Amino acid sequence: MLLSGLAQAADMTAAEQASAKELAQASGCLSCHALTEKIVGPAYSSVAEKYKADSDAVASLVQSIQYGSKGKWGRIPMPAHPSLSGDDLKTLATWVMTVKK
Ligand code: HEC
């Protein structure tokens, strides 16, 4: 299944990070999220900080992005993103875990 064998938030090269950020931009993520500041959704640096000790963080963030999320950060829910491919979900979740304040 999709979630088996996901790598942990390992190192991405700078080029991989840049292309993941473009994917986030193209996917509309950055209208609600910024890297180091809360907008509608939490800053990605805050997400990375919150889950840094969680070895399943990438897999669980894939689920949150794909199916939506509510109640983890506040009262505003995140909508589901059903049209993203498994690869794109994994890239985005892995990238979020690399964002530093
Ligand atoms: C309409 C605004 C909106 C859009 C678009 C959006 N998000 Fe979110 N996102 C949120 C909100 C609000 C939360 C907090 C949800 C909660 O409290 O559980 C959130 C939470 C998250 C989290 C943390 C989930 C967790 O389990 O703690 C991640 C990671 C994330 N978003 C990534 C993304 C990515 C990647 C995209 C683009 C594919 C995206 N978001 C698009 C509003 C948005």
Side-chain angles (χ1 to χ4, degrees), residues 22 36 61-62 78 83 91:
E22 274 173 31
T36 58
L61 294 183
V62 162
M78 172 161 71
S83 61
T91 298

Side-chain angles (χ1 to χ4, degrees), residues 9-25 30 35 44-45 48 90-101:
D11 312 297
M12 287 181 120
T13 64
E16 285 168 339
Q17 282 181 298
S19 79
K21 189 178 174 187
E22 274 173 31
L23 176 62
Q25 179 79 55
L30 301 184
L35 273 62
Y44 286 152
S45 58
K90 186 180 159 189
T91 298
L92 290 166
T94 304
W95 172 65
V96 167
M97 288 302 297
T98 70
V99 177
K100 293 191 176 66
K101 190 122 187 146

Side-chain angles (χ1 to χ4, degrees), residues 11-94:
D11 312 297
M12 287 181 120
T13 64
E16 285 168 339
Q17 282 181 298
S19 79
K21 189 178 174 187
E22 274 173 31
L23 176 62
Q25 179 79 55
S27 306
C29 315
L30 301 184
S31 54
C32 287
H33 291 278
L35 273 62
T36 58
E37 276 172 88
K38 178 176 191 273
I39 313 180
V40 179
Y44 286 152
S45 58
S46 304
V47 176
E49 176 70 23
K50 180 175 179 180
Y51 299 112
K52 67 182 176 193
D54 179 352
S55 57
D56 293 326
V58 170
S60 78
L61 294 183
V62 162
Q63 299 249 0
S64 291
I65 300 163
Q66 183 171 23
Y67 299 113
S69 173
K70 61 178 181 183
K72 292 182 185 163
W73 293 89
R75 287 161 48 198
I76 308 170
M78 172 161 71
H81 292 91
S83 61
L84 289 170
S85 71
D87 278 353
D88 284 356
L89 287 163
K90 186 180 159 189
T91 298
L92 290 166
T94 304

